[in-house]
Amino acid sequence: MNYKIALIRGDGIGPEVVGEAVKVMDAIGAKFGHTFEYVDVLMGGCAIDAVGKSYPEGTAEKCKECDAVLLGAVGGPKWGHSTEAEKRPETALLSIRKDLGLYANLRPAALRPALAEACPLKKETADRGIDLMIVRELTGGIYFGKRERYATEDRGEEAADRMAYSEKEIERIGRRAFELARLRGKKLASVDKANVLETSRLWRKVMHKLAEEYSDVQYEDVLVDNAAMQLVRDPGQFDVVVTENMFGDILSDEASMITGSIGLLPSASIGDTAPGLYEPIHGSAPDIAGQDRANPIATILSVAMMFRYSFNLPAEAKTIEDAVDAILNEGWRTADIAKPGEDVISTVKMGELIRAKL
Ligand code: IPM
Ligand code: MG
């Protein structure tokens, strides 16, 4: 098969890590008989510099002509927090999610055996293993509700952000999560704040209806404050965790931290139609940009997710994941995952070693 891939190399270390991931894709293509055609798409801080806006006209259209999108990283302190939306890199991220209908954000957090020591939790906790997948709703809730700023008579300025969820939005993310749980450990935790929020009470009602339909999946409700605590107390209890947009934003950062290796974690954002978007969860790391020091593994594992979720090519995905594990097991480390005093290798070298294992 021939696949067309949109590449949003983006800012900071984005171009370097995407560069290595593309070489891995080509190597997989040669091995399994696929070809990949790449289309560069300008978005993020680099687009602000080049054309004055982070999300130039036609960005979504260009992506829609492709089978999948691979994104490196966008943003950085250089672009600050402009008061003009089109000059903020974050605007591009939110816009592309909405325009491509990417309502399901899959963020796996797994402790790779070779890096178990990097886990900041107690050894007994790490020994139980961590292998969970956060399924974050990505195109609704407070991220996309009405924002207001207005003057009041006696309380100074006031601001408001509206959080809304419809049954339809909850049901489609819920189904995705139940389906994923079926393919994994058949356990699903739905995180909400139903003791306070009306959106959460509706969320829970819809999830309970789905839980009856997916009765082979072990289901539980977890309040978000408790979920935050359980993630550091006993993350091994979780398999798939589904939650709304902002809770998912926060909990997925927490989940990434407990694996101790944010440079290793990929993510997928998918909707009902192609293209899906795949990206490492780490940021643009401007402090090490252009120095050949970034860890390309999260982006390479994002390609594995692309093969699995967009192209239904599980063997190709597994080949990449196994190659990454083999290299880590041999002890190769980029600076972010090295222990003090350990030898470190470059971005390009890490990419080369992984390709040699495919
Ligand atoms: C993420 C990021 C974004 C989000 C920001 C950069 C808008 O934190 O992808 O988790 O909040 O969704
Ligand atoms: Mg975030």
Side-chain angles (χ1 to χ4, degrees):
M1 277 281 282
N2 180 55
Y3 298 96
K4 204 165 154 186
I5 318 279
L7 299 178
I8 301 175
R9 298 175 196 265
D11 308 316
I13 59 173
E16 296 166 71
V17 293
V18 168
E20 289 314 302
V22 163
K23 289 187 240 166
V24 167
M25 260 191 275
D26 288 336
I28 286 282
K31 183 178 161 90
F32 289 88
H34 310 298
T35 49
F36 299 101
E37 187 186 329
Y38 305 106
V39 180
D40 266 294
V41 176
L42 186 69
M43 190 184 105
C46 53
I48 300 175
D49 290 348
V51 299
K53 39 180 106 165
S54 64
Y55 192 64
E57 272 87 40
T59 302
E61 289 67 29
K62 273 190 211 151
C63 292
K64 282 181 188 166
E65 285 167 17
C66 297
D67 301 303
V69 182
L70 182 66
L71 187 155
V74 303
K78 178 176 173 195
W79 299 282
H81 295 276
S82 170
T83 48
E84 286 169 83
E86 62 180 29
K87 293 208 160 32
R88 285 196 298 265
E90 292 78 13
T91 302
L93 271 181
L94 300 186
S95 304
I96 200 163
R97 289 171 182 172
K98 198 69 171 179
D99 290 347
L100 299 182
L102 308 172
Y103 63 83
N105 182 213
L106 278 39
R107 298 191 168 185
L111 195 59
R112 296 202 113 75
L115 288 171
E117 285 168 47
C119 173
L121 305 178
K122 282 200 194 115
K123 189 172 178 308
E124 310 89 89
T125 313
D127 287 347
R128 283 196 57 190
I130 302 172
D131 184 6
L132 60 94
M133 167 91 83
I134 295 191
V135 179
R136 167 188 177 193
E137 200 291 324
L138 202 59
T139 53
I142 203 163
Y143 271 65
F144 292 93
K146 186 172 178 203
R147 305 196 193 296
E148 291 171 283
R149 249 321 240 279
Y150 45 85
T152 63
E153 287 216 332
D154 50 358
R155 288 166 284 122
E157 219 185 348
E158 195 167 282
D161 297 279
R162 185 165 187 267
M163 173 159 167
Y165 269 108
S166 66
E167 281 185 288
K168 201 176 145 200
E169 284 175 303
I170 302 168
E171 186 180 335
R172 66 182 185 181
I173 189 73
R175 277 194 191 284
R176 283 281 178 163
F178 274 103
E179 296 287 343
L180 271 164
R182 267 191 178 157
L183 297 174
R184 293 176 42 108
K186 297 204 170 182
K187 272 174 71 176
L188 178 64
S190 167
V191 172
D192 64 33
K193 189 69 185 171
N195 52 351
V196 178
L197 302 178
E198 205 51 43
T199 41
S200 284
R201 285 190 275 269
L202 181 63
W203 179 278
R204 211 175 254 213
K205 182 185 123 184
V206 175
M207 289 295 164
H208 285 191
K209 226 163 88 193
L210 289 172
E212 281 173 31
E213 193 181 322
Y214 293 85
S215 56
D216 53 321
V217 174
Q218 191 190 323
Y219 173 87
E220 65 172 332
D221 301 305
V222 186
L223 290 171
V224 63
D225 47 350
N226 185 29
M229 183 183 76
Q230 295 301 332
L231 269 176
V232 289
R233 196 188 69 84
D234 178 24
Q237 69 184 287
F238 294 118
D239 176 18
V240 178
V241 176
V242 64
T243 192
E244 66 87 35
N245 206 343
M246 186 163 63
F247 295 162
D249 177 45
I250 299 166
L251 293 180
S252 62
D253 266 25
E254 188 187 2
S256 71
M257 187 61 218
I258 60 176
T259 70
S261 32
I262 193 163
L264 261 48
L265 300 179
S267 75
S269 302
I270 53 185
D272 290 327
T273 53
L277 182 147
Y278 299 82
E279 60 181 313
I281 69 160
H282 59 67
S284 59
D287 52 319
I288 58 162
Q291 298 172 25
D292 198 15
R293 283 168 62 196
N295 187 348
I297 291 181
T299 315
I300 291 170
L301 291 173
S302 298
V303 169
M305 288 190 93
M306 179 190 290
F307 287 163
R308 182 168 285 122
Y309 296 108
S310 275
F311 305 153
N312 193 22
L313 297 173
E316 285 80 343
K318 179 106 189 355
T319 302
I320 296 177
E321 289 157 355
D322 288 348
V324 167
D325 276 329
I327 288 302
L328 291 174
N329 286 334
E330 285 179 14
W332 300 99
R333 300 285 183 265
T334 41
D336 58 309
I337 50 173
K339 281 183 283 188
E342 239 175 3
D343 283 345
V344 301
I345 59 171
S346 70
T347 310
V348 171
K349 179 78 185 168
M350 182 57 99
E352 248 172 53
L353 288 167
I354 292 170
R355 285 199 304 284
K357 286 277 180 207
L358 292 172

